[in-house]
Amino acid sequence: MANYTNNELITAYLSRQIQDDDLCFVGVGTNGRAFTLAVGIPLAAARLAQMSHAPGAAVYWGNLLEPDLSVIPEHFTQDAFTQWQAAACPPDTGVKCDMLARRKFDVSFNSAAQLDRYGNMNITAIGDYRKPKVRLVGSLAQPEHFAFVRRPILLMDLDARSFVEKVDFITSAGHLSGGTSRREAGLGEGGPAIVVTDKAVFDFAEGTREMRLKSLHPGVTKDEVLAAMSFVPLVPETIPETETPTAEELARIRNDIDPNRILLKV
């Protein structure tokens, strides 16, 4: 039986994707699992990276630039944000958009209601845009993430309703229809780099830009992953296992980063 949780596995994996001096954009989450995916795991991963191989890494979250991740608030309230020590507290969201457009972010953590085989993301509407079945939150600067961030990372639970053949609406342009279609559309380099889920990790093949199974989490089979998707990704002949957390990483997560289970609780 594994001595780590799925959240701890993902946190450790994501921390290894963060390089020294990276500036990471962490988005927002409401509560429950959405908060854990959008905020909790990314903040824990960034702090774990700081404590190991990337001491110069930093995050921009909410209206805080470089909050002190060594002291995580016990409750994520407005009062806690006001008192959280940070390098800066810009007055409005326009600062973040300006930083995005000037390519100041190395990594962004994103999530979506729908994601297709070429990494196009939808958080706008399910169904026809003009008469949707569900109206979602809207863009939230996500188009800029896929346009200007060097290594966007998608963090989602694997589900056939979310991993679809074609998104109902393209909020953020991934690799469009694959191949060179992104460049032909006049877009620069960009789109998601990897997709980290509760069962597996995916990347995008260099030539076709199709989603490709990169690794399976311990104990998860290829058939389990494919059954939780509405399309079949590229599957290599040999699929490695996602690297598990070390004893040192687990100790840091549990004792130093998230002792009160605020970040990784769901």
Side-chain angles (χ1 to χ4, degrees), residues 1 15 30 65 81 83 93 100 117 178 180 200 237 253 260 265:
M1 185 174 180
S15 75
T30 51
L65 175 60
F81 297 149
Q83 298 183 54
T93 57
L100 280 164
R117 68 167 62 246
T180 59
E237 290 186 10
I253 291 170
N260 299 314
K265 60 183 177 180

Side-chain angles (χ1 to χ4, degrees), residues 23-44:
L23 180 57
C24 306
F25 191 110
V26 177
V28 296
T30 51
N31 53 39
R33 185 61 177 166
F35 173 87
T36 302
L37 289 172
V39 179
I41 292 176
L43 289 181

Side-chain angles (χ1 to χ4, degrees), residues 4-259:
Y4 53 83
T5 68
N6 200 262
N7 285 344
E8 290 170 339
L9 170 72
I10 296 170
T11 296
Y13 179 85
L14 286 176
S15 75
R16 301 182 197 113
Q17 312 312 308
I18 298 173
Q19 301 171 12
D20 199 14
D21 295 327
D22 272 352
L23 180 57
C24 306
F25 191 110
V26 177
V28 296
T30 51
N31 53 39
R33 185 61 177 166
F35 173 87
T36 302
L37 289 172
V39 179
I41 292 176
L43 289 181
R47 179 56 182 157
L48 185 58
Q50 289 177 341
M51 297 178 71
S52 53
H53 62 280
V59 303
Y60 196 139
W61 178 57
N63 62 339
L64 297 176
L65 175 60
E66 296 189 43
D68 182 2
L69 298 182
S70 68
V71 184
I72 299 295
E74 293 186 8
H75 304 284
F76 281 81
T77 62
Q78 186 60 48
D79 182 60
F81 297 149
T82 301
Q83 298 183 54
W84 197 356
Q85 184 176 351
C89 182
D92 58 57
T93 57
V95 175
K96 286 181 287 188
C97 291
D98 180 64
M99 291 176 66
L100 280 164
R102 289 188 289 118
R103 297 184 181 272
K104 295 298 183 180
F105 293 99
D106 302 288
V107 174
S108 64
F109 295 99
N110 310 271
S111 193
Q114 289 183 329
L115 185 71
D116 67 25
R117 68 167 62 246
Y118 296 111
N120 301 301
M121 187 176 83
N122 174 24
I123 57 169
T124 300
I126 302 298
D128 182 81
Y129 176 77
R130 292 167 182 81
K131 294 183 179 180
K133 297 177 182 177
V134 179
R135 179 71 69 187
L136 302 172
V137 293
S139 62
L140 294 176
Q142 297 299 303
E144 287 84 354
H145 287 198
F146 279 16
F148 302 123
V149 178
R150 291 179 179 83
R151 304 190 309 279
I153 295 174
L154 276 151
L155 186 57
M156 301 171 58
D157 286 337
L158 203 60
D159 184 281
R161 294 173 299 177
S162 298
F163 286 74
V164 297
E165 179 67 37
K166 185 176 181 180
V167 295
D168 294 338
F169 184 92
I170 297 180
T171 306
S172 299
H175 304 295
L176 292 181
S177 57
T180 59
S181 61
R182 183 180 172 93
R183 184 173 68 247
E184 291 166 359
L187 299 175
E189 292 295 324
I194 58 173
V195 184
V196 182
T197 77
D198 55 332
K199 297 182 184 299
V201 178
F202 301 86
D203 62 6
F204 295 87
E206 289 77 9
T208 65
R209 308 309 289 168
E210 291 180 83
M211 193 179 297
R212 175 175 60 188
L213 187 54
K214 180 178 174 64
S215 70
L216 293 167
H217 296 347
V220 177
T221 68
K222 177 184 71 174
D223 290 342
E224 285 181 80
V225 168
L226 298 183
M229 304 178 72
S230 292
F231 64 90
V232 179
L234 297 179
V235 179
E237 290 186 10
T238 303
I239 308 169
E241 188 174 81
T242 306
E243 186 178 353
T244 59
T246 65
E248 184 178 19
E249 287 172 331
L250 287 174
R252 285 173 169 168
I253 291 170
R254 295 172 182 177
N255 301 329
D256 302 316
I257 299 171
D258 194 30

